[in-house]
Amino acid sequence: MYQTNHQREILSLFKNHPEQGYTGVEIVHLFKETINKATIYRKLKNLEENKIIRKNYNPIKKCFEYQFSSDCENHLHLICKQCGKITHLVCEETNGFIAHISLQHAFEVDKLSTTIFGLCQECKTYA
């Protein structure tokens, strides 16, 4: 995939913060001095089409967010109900759980859409 400087800038935001989700408005605000709004949304669409980032609905914030997609089709996600931190749950035990659901309950889990909500370590400490 061909990348422009603007696309590399936006992509570096996601790579440097893979656990963070960003709304389009937040991304526009972060790059308002260097990249115009139309270019940002065009680059986000391109990154999403190439499965480098993904756009998902965050029911806690009640909005769509973009997030770095590190092979998201193959694992579940944890979202902190307080701060919104997203954790990629790449874990062998999770794979066993999904296999159990598939075999014992004849149910195919959509890993890309499956999210577990709770409190992250930092928010749990202050709760």
Side-chain angles (χ1 to χ4, degrees), residues 68-111:
F68 186 63
S69 175
S70 60
D71 196 25
C72 285
E73 298 88 19
N74 294 313
H75 59 260
L76 305 178
H77 297 88
L78 305 176
I79 294 183
C80 178
K81 294 189 305 183
Q82 190 162 326
C83 69
K85 177 181 174 183
I86 301 167
T87 301
H88 297 268
L89 190 57
V90 180
C91 173
E92 200 55 45
E93 290 185 26
T94 303
N95 294 336
F97 174 68
I98 292 170
H100 167 81
I101 291 171
S102 177
L103 293 171
Q104 299 299 317
H105 303 281
F107 190 85
E108 184 176 330
V109 174
D110 177 359
K111 296 178 205 166

Side-chain angles (χ1 to χ4, degrees), residues 2 20 22 33-34 40 43 47 76 78 92 107 117 121:
Y2 173 74
Q20 183 66 44
Y22 296 95
E33 302 297 323
T34 57
I40 289 171
K43 299 305 176 187
L47 290 169
L76 305 178
L78 305 176
E92 200 55 45
F107 190 85
F117 294 92
Q121 183 64 41

Side-chain angles (χ1 to χ4, degrees), residues 20-31 41 61 65:
Q20 183 66 44
Y22 296 95
T23 66
V25 172
E26 290 171 331
I27 296 167
V28 167
H29 181 73
L30 288 170
F31 292 104
Y41 280 103
K61 294 182 179 179
E65 293 181 319

